[in-house]
Amino acid sequence: MRVLGIDPGLRNMGWGVIDVSGSRIAHVANGVCHGVGVALADRLLALHEALTDVVARYEPDTAAVEQTFVNKDGAGTLKLGQARGVALLSLAQAGIRIGEYAPNSVKKAVVGVGHAEKTQIEHMVKLQLPGVKLLGPDAADALAIAICHAHHAQSAGRLDQALAKASA
């Protein structure tokens, strides 16, 4: 299974691709899509085009997007939500199934605690993907989201198998 993780951002949208085989995960690629331009619409278009290219290039089987963290800056949260919408749209247009995870869920899955610092996330991503060259903190976060999704997908698969076995 090939998983694409996306860390939404209006200026920098991190992405990371991993391959999953059983309990083994392997790094494929990571990077950052840049929302260039002054107007919001131009930045959203740039993100859509760049992410569409990533999807076409790496052909993920499934994807995961981090949920928007709501903070005191309402306008900032709305803009981040628009970038997240672009990510969801790009994936939906490609017919890719999407998982969505809260930031604390991603941190807990990768680091073991829900309030981990960015440096801890980067460190654990490097441990789980030996030899990875991270192309920035947004790309590291995106790989963490992909790893989180892989763990959840494996758990769901085991649950489905157990339920099928129990009903047989």
Side-chain angles (χ1 to χ4, degrees):
M1 171 176 66
R2 180 160 281 183
V3 181
L4 170 62
I6 299 173
D7 181 31
L10 193 54
R11 296 216 180 265
N12 299 309
M13 182 179 291
W15 60 269
V17 180
I18 60 172
D19 281 339
V20 181
S21 179
S23 63
R24 299 181 72 167
I25 59 173
H27 174 258
V28 175
N30 70 89
V32 178
C33 299
H34 299 285
V36 294
V38 176
L40 177 61
D42 293 336
R43 293 194 309 215
L44 293 172
L45 178 61
L47 291 171
H48 176 68
E49 289 173 343
L51 191 55
T52 299
D53 181 57
V54 169
V55 169
R57 193 173 345 145
Y58 295 103
E59 300 178 339
D61 299 307
T62 185
V65 179
E66 190 172 65
Q67 292 175 341
T68 302
F69 177 78
V70 180
N71 57 32
K72 293 177 186 177
D73 178 17
T77 301
L78 286 172
K79 288 178 183 177
L80 178 59
Q82 291 171 335
R84 190 172 174 280
V86 164
L88 294 171
L89 172 65
S90 300
L91 297 168
Q93 283 181 324
I96 297 170
R97 288 175 295 127
I98 306 163
E100 300 177 61
Y101 301 95
N104 285 354
S105 296
V106 173
K107 293 172 183 177
K108 183 138 181 119
V110 176
V111 179
V113 292
H115 296 285
E117 299 292 327
K118 281 204 176 272
T119 55
Q120 292 173 298
I121 295 166
E122 283 187 34
H123 176 74
M124 291 306 292
V125 166
K126 287 179 181 177
L127 280 177
Q128 293 183 49
L129 301 171
V132 66
K133 301 282 188 247
L134 297 173
L135 299 179
D138 298 307
D141 287 349
L143 285 169
I145 294 161
I147 292 168
C148 173
H149 188 59
H151 291 320
H152 282 272
Q154 288 171 342
S155 296
R158 285 193 292 272
L159 178 61
D160 290 344
Q161 289 172 351
L163 290 173
K165 188 176 180 181
S167 66

